[in-house]
Amino acid sequence: MTGIRAVLFDFYGTLFRLEEDESWFHGMEVDEREVDGHVQAELMRRLTAPTGQHVDLPGDTYHAWVNRDLAPHLHREAYLHVLRESGLAGHHAEDLYARVIDPQCWTPYPDTADVVESLHRQGIKTAVVSNIAFDVRPAFASISAAGFVDEFVLSYEVGAVKPDPAIFETALQRLGVDTAHAVMVGDSDEADGGARAVGCGFILVDPLPTTERTDGLRTALADYGVRL
């Protein structure tokens, strides 16, 4: 747990979280009933769960779902289908999907900016390694942290999706760090834990609401031997 020269971070549930605002759902109905808190939570879960299938996905839609993080148009097709199958009218599905792909709608965990800045100042390289089909760099710019991240390795830009070893190997090659001196931090053992297959360490964090996890990154890295 010593000698860490690079930390790879997942995006959703690790550094940022998509947390709904009630205003997003104003006037929306699911199966002709007003969207309440329970339904809001379920819709958000379906939009952000890193793995799993939540509605029937016939034919071409299944192809779009499986490959959603490799191309923006497939991501859009897949999630609009999920929202419509969840009972949202077409225009409401479009409105909610627009929130998903807007980096300004994502909430940073309270310690995100401080952690990436501290790693940068210590000379420990960082990369954001995410299964995603839109550019998350503006989210980091909004908290003045973009300059502290060395690499953004996004599935739709590199053509590989976690847990495919290729996405982790790409990140480490770009950083110029050997796997034995790197650790991946993420909220999905299935996806992010794939880093172990290339010899990288792995730290699992809980994707709690941001108000409930104020120092989770700092604590997890400290437990692994990375002092911030």
Side-chain angles (χ1 to χ4, degrees), residues 5 11 21 25 35 37 58 66 79 89-90 104 116 121 124 128 145-146 161-162 191 193 205 225:
R5 299 175 189 168
F11 179 68
D21 186 298
F25 299 90
V35 173
V66 171
Y79 281 108
Q104 302 303 318
V116 295
R121 298 201 184 286
I124 297 174
V128 174
V161 175
K162 294 178 293 186
V205 294

Side-chain angles (χ1 to χ4, degrees), residues 110-191:
D111 57 346
T112 291
D114 289 343
V115 165
V116 295
E117 180 177 0
S118 179
L119 291 169
H120 175 77
R121 298 201 184 286
Q122 292 184 56
I124 297 174
K125 295 184 177 181
T126 58
V128 174
V129 183
S130 179
N131 288 351
I132 207 157
F134 58 92
D135 189 5
V136 300
R137 293 171 182 86
F140 291 85
S142 72
I143 60 170
S144 301
F148 302 128
V149 178
D150 294 287
E151 293 288 343
F152 288 88
V153 184
L154 311 180
S155 58
Y156 83 105
E157 293 181 339
V158 301
V161 175
K162 294 178 293 186
D164 186 340
I167 194 168
F168 305 109
E169 291 169 346
T170 296
L172 293 169
Q173 287 169 3
R174 289 184 179 180
L175 294 176
V177 175
D178 185 81
T179 58
H181 299 291
V183 62
M184 175 77 201
V185 182
D187 69 302
S188 171
D189 187 82
E190 179 180 347

Side-chain angles (χ1 to χ4, degrees), residues 17 19 107-110 208-214:
R17 194 172 189 271
E19 298 185 326
T107 303
Y109 278 94
L208 293 168
T210 56
T211 56
E212 298 176 22
R213 208 195 79 195
T214 58

Side-chain angles (χ1 to χ4, degrees), residues 3-227:
I4 294 298
R5 299 175 189 168
V7 180
L8 315 182
F9 289 104
D10 172 50
F11 179 68
Y12 174 75
T14 302
L15 297 177
F16 285 75
R17 194 172 189 271
L18 186 64
E19 298 185 326
E20 70 274 18
D21 186 298
E22 287 191 4
S23 66
W24 297 0
F25 299 90
H26 181 69
M28 290 188 183
E29 295 181 344
V30 168
D31 299 328
E32 300 183 350
R33 292 183 299 175
E34 184 177 347
V35 173
D36 59 17
H38 174 75
V39 175
Q40 288 180 23
E42 177 58 21
L43 289 172
M44 297 305 290
R45 186 186 71 83
R46 294 183 180 191
L47 285 170
T48 57
T51 58
Q53 179 179 322
H54 314 294
V55 300
D56 289 336
L57 298 163
D60 290 344
T61 306
Y62 179 76
H63 170 79
W65 178 258
V66 171
N67 295 284
R68 65 193 183 280
D69 291 320
L70 291 173
H73 73 283
L74 296 177
H75 190 271
R76 175 183 173 82
E77 178 184 345
Y79 281 108
L80 287 179
H81 176 82
V82 168
L83 290 171
R84 289 191 296 264
E85 287 296 302
S86 298
L88 280 182
H91 63 293
H92 288 153
E94 293 271 3
D95 289 345
L96 190 53
Y97 178 74
R99 305 286 187 179
V100 174
I101 61 173
D102 180 356
Q104 302 303 318
C105 289
W106 292 73
T107 303
Y109 278 94
D111 57 346
T112 291
D114 289 343
V115 165
V116 295
E117 180 177 0
S118 179
L119 291 169
H120 175 77
R121 298 201 184 286
Q122 292 184 56
I124 297 174
K125 295 184 177 181
T126 58
V128 174
V129 183
S130 179
N131 288 351
I132 207 157
F134 58 92
D135 189 5
V136 300
R137 293 171 182 86
F140 291 85
S142 72
I143 60 170
S144 301
F148 302 128
V149 178
D150 294 287
E151 293 288 343
F152 288 88
V153 184
L154 311 180
S155 58
Y156 83 105
E157 293 181 339
V158 301
V161 175
K162 294 178 293 186
D164 186 340
I167 194 168
F168 305 109
E169 291 169 346
T170 296
L172 293 169
Q173 287 169 3
R174 289 184 179 180
L175 294 176
V177 175
D178 185 81
T179 58
H181 299 291
V183 62
M184 175 77 201
V185 182
D187 69 302
S188 171
D189 187 82
E190 179 180 347
D192 305 311
R196 291 175 294 211
V198 301
C200 188
F202 175 60
I203 301 172
L204 184 67
V205 294
D206 194 337
L208 293 168
T210 56
T211 56
E212 298 176 22
R213 208 195 79 195
T214 58
D215 62 352
L217 296 171
R218 187 181 301 276
T219 299
L221 285 166
D223 289 344
Y224 200 80
V226 181
R227 303 297 174 183

